[in-house]
Amino acid sequence: MTGDQPRRQSVTQTEDRFLASDVFEADSRALPPPNGSGTIREDARNIDIYHRSDVVVIGGGPAGCAAAWAAAQAGADVTLIERYNCLGGLSTGGLVMWIDRMTDWDGNHVIQGFARHFIDRMPKEAVAGPPPKDWGSRDPDKALYWGQRTTAFHGIVTWAPTLDPERMKLNAQEMLLEAGVRLVFHAWAARPVVENGRATGAVFESKAGRQAIMAKVVIDTTGDGDMFARAGAEFDSDVEDGDVHHSMNTGWIFGGVNMDRFIDWRVSNRSEYEAFLARGREEIGFFQAPYVSWRPDIALFLGPRQSGLSALDVDDMTEVEIRSHRFMERHCRFFRDHAPGFEHAFSLQSASQLGVRHTRRLAGVGRIERGDWGRGTPLVDEVGISPSVSPKFPTVSVPYGALVPRALNGMLAAGRHISCDANSHGFMREIPQCWMTGHAAGVGAALAADQGIEPRDVTPEAIRAVLRKQGAHLSEEEKITAPPRHQAAEKV
């Protein structure tokens, strides 16, 4: 191959990691380093206030959509700032249409609320996944079938559907507009407005120039913690070396395929398939196998997964995009020539958003940690329940404290940058968990704005009461008696 010469490492499936993948680091780079040095001075200026709201949500990905919808449903006046032209974040613009598990290992639907409202509104033809009667099934034939379609793990069928990204964009947009959310597209939030240790709004850039939006509560759902980091809140950035969950990629989709035929060949001719993978790696360097999409004539590729690059470095992000588009074309040619079901494949679309898995994680008053996976008891400040990574673990109680900065007031954080350790981040960054934590943050923000108090002072009981009214699944209130793990959680 020409250009990249990748060093590849394989991430295997374990009980802590259910996603097996190649992750690579390339020696060569497409662009030389920048030659800038020194500084320039930016003149001070007054900034026009664009709007005032009870709650402003920064970022319209899964967490941001859930937060804005929940806050508006709870009676708050809400504005959402989004840098792209649509809602959904990586689930739409990133083509991460494979929605991860929302059921526990017995088939119980534990992530509901906004997530369930959202999927229930989707057209039937835009949703692919097992029927509810099969959730939790350990039938080998069903597990084999759905395992090839990204919704069975460890021999158990789960609810992990694949959704049409274009219909998701429209669905999220209409849900928020119906709830009364003010949407602002094509606007990049540049920095938070902080007064006396309290976030009071955000400055954003658009074609109209630099403007400010003011709010009683700011919710950071940027995915990278841009707002809380620039406001001076503490955060963590450690990663699990070589873990697929801490790599970057640009996804793409091919049209004109027959995924059912490809899957049948892959299952029935394992030795041929292994030879196919080996040849792909030899000819292309990095090789990505396809996933199913919401329809059998479209194939999804979530690669190449590239490590050793930072989503906070503009040159690194550019590098990922350049490599990914080159790999997309090489894959299309290779699959047309060698893969049954791909004889008429064509490049249909590459993702408009870079697939970022990890940058910063909030240092909150509470934290989700690997050592707590086996606890199995609800936390006193529980605001959600997450499926665990394998059947040997019970469900994970998600604390409100994981959304609350230790010192910064006026702000909550939801989505992939919540407070957790590097290992727990591997599943708490997934789309359903982002919906769940966004939902909780939206309710917490609305109650804080309504009561004129800090988000940290809203009681978890009050948040849970509203979450239940909005359809969230939580532990029974009388069972939420476990003492908080962290002394700081008593303040929440």
Side-chain angles (χ1 to χ4, degrees):
M1 67 178 276
T2 60
D4 306 300
Q5 295 297 327
R7 296 193 304 271
R8 185 173 57 250
Q9 55 185 312
S10 179
V11 178
T12 58
Q13 180 174 316
T14 68
E15 288 207 323
D16 288 1
R17 299 171 180 165
F18 63 85
L19 181 61
S21 175
D22 281 349
V23 179
F24 81 90
E25 209 172 326
D27 294 323
S28 61
R29 296 179 69 98
L31 298 175
N35 64 2
S37 62
T39 62
I40 65 168
R41 186 171 185 83
E42 184 177 12
D43 293 334
R45 52 182 167 168
N46 293 324
I47 298 173
D48 291 336
I49 295 176
Y50 164 77
H51 193 66
R52 296 180 186 271
S53 291
D54 292 332
V55 177
V56 61
V57 179
I58 309 299
C65 288
W69 177 86
Q73 291 283 6
D77 178 73
V78 182
T79 300
L80 185 148
I81 303 292
E82 169 54 43
R83 60 174 168 160
Y84 292 106
N85 69 341
C86 65
L87 298 173
L90 288 183
S91 68
T92 56
L95 295 178
V96 188
M97 63 193 76
W98 163 28
I99 310 302
D100 202 7
R101 297 163 296 122
M102 289 173 280
T103 49
D104 65 16
W105 298 106
D106 293 321
N108 299 307
H109 197 177
V110 297
I111 296 184
Q112 296 194 39
F114 176 84
R116 183 164 185 173
H117 289 301
F118 181 84
I119 294 176
D120 284 351
R121 284 177 54 118
M122 290 284 288
K124 290 183 179 180
E125 69 273 13
V127 181
K133 65 181 178 61
D134 288 342
W135 299 351
S137 173
R138 288 168 165 79
D139 178 89
D141 291 335
K142 290 180 179 180
L144 175 62
Y145 179 86
W146 289 113
Q148 297 294 326
R149 290 160 177 81
T150 64
T151 191
F153 309 93
H154 302 292
I156 301 171
V157 179
T158 68
W159 179 228
T162 305
L163 309 180
D164 178 344
E166 288 302 320
R167 304 301 281 271
M168 280 197 281
K169 293 177 184 178
L170 179 61
N171 192 31
Q173 171 186 293
E174 297 307 299
M175 282 185 71
L176 268 58
L177 290 175
E178 290 169 15
V181 176
R182 182 184 187 89
L183 300 178
V184 184
F185 289 136
H186 301 291
W188 185 293
R191 66 174 180 86
V193 179
V194 181
E195 302 172 7
N196 300 317
R198 187 179 195 282
T200 58
V203 174
F204 67 93
E205 296 272 3
S206 72
K207 288 292 186 179
R210 199 166 175 88
Q211 296 173 294
I213 180 164
M214 308 305 291
K216 297 175 182 177
V217 180
V218 178
I219 304 179
D220 186 341
T221 49
T222 60
D224 300 309
D226 293 339
M227 293 296 102
F228 67 68
R230 291 169 190 169
E234 298 176 74
F235 61 87
D236 298 311
S237 59
D238 55 309
V239 300
E240 290 285 312
D241 291 338
D243 194 332
V244 64
H245 297 299
H246 303 300
S247 59
M248 286 191 289
N249 70 285
T250 299
W252 66 75
I253 54 178
F254 292 163
V257 307
N258 186 331
M259 278 300 292
D260 290 331
R261 183 177 168 219
F262 177 80
I263 291 172
D264 288 343
W265 169 73
R266 181 170 65 188
V267 172
S268 303
N269 301 274
R270 193 65 194 179
S271 60
E272 288 184 25
Y273 180 64
E274 293 295 338
F276 168 79
L277 294 177
R279 182 172 183 177
R281 291 187 177 110
E282 180 181 355
E283 293 189 14
I284 300 177
F286 171 88
F287 192 70
Q288 172 67 63
Y291 298 102
V292 296
S293 73
W294 74 100
R295 49 187 292 163
D297 58 348
I298 293 177
L300 168 66
F301 291 78
L302 293 179
R305 298 180 175 94
Q306 302 170 54
S307 67
L309 299 168
S310 171
L312 301 179
D313 184 305
V314 68
D315 289 336
D316 283 359
M317 296 168 76
T318 301
E319 187 71 27
V320 174
E321 300 285 15
I322 291 172
R323 295 176 185 174
S324 296
H325 287 94
R326 288 173 174 172
F327 277 119
M328 179 181 179
E329 178 59 26
R330 294 169 189 163
H331 276 69
C332 192
R333 292 198 304 264
F334 184 85
F335 271 75
R336 269 201 308 260
D337 291 341
H338 304 294
F342 279 75
E343 294 85 354
H344 306 290
F346 59 92
S347 296
L348 179 59
Q349 182 184 1
S350 59
S352 59
Q353 297 186 32
L354 182 63
V356 178
R357 291 169 173 81
H358 178 268
T359 48
R360 308 180 183 100
R361 304 188 312 280
L362 177 73
V365 300
R367 195 168 189 249
I368 301 169
E369 297 178 347
R370 169 66 179 80
D372 296 321
W373 292 3
R375 182 179 295 272
T377 55
L379 298 171
V380 69
D381 59 337
E382 177 181 284
V383 290
I385 297 175
S386 172
S388 62
V389 296
S390 82
K392 79 174 186 179
F393 298 110
T395 55
V396 177
S397 180
V398 177
Y400 182 56
L403 317 181
V404 182
R406 290 176 182 168
L408 179 66
N409 283 321
M411 184 178 288
L412 291 169
R416 71 169 181 256
H417 56 221
I418 67 165
S419 181
C420 60
D421 63 16
N423 209 317
S424 300
H425 179 267
F427 65 91
M428 286 307 303
R429 69 170 179 83
E430 299 289 356
I431 290 166
Q433 284 79 359
C434 290
W435 280 334
M436 179 234 297
T437 57
H439 191 173
V443 171
L447 292 177
D450 179 63
Q451 297 172 29
I453 61 177
E454 294 299 335
R456 73 180 66 253
D457 295 325
V458 180
T459 66
E461 294 83 0
I463 295 172
R464 288 195 294 268
V466 178
L467 285 173
R468 287 191 174 94
K469 289 180 181 178
Q470 295 183 355
H473 174 79
L474 296 161
S475 300
E476 295 177 14
E477 196 65 31
E478 56 270 23
K479 294 182 180 179
I480 302 180
T481 57
R485 286 167 296 136
H486 307 284
Q487 290 297 320
E490 295 176 359
K491 302 176 183 178
V492 178

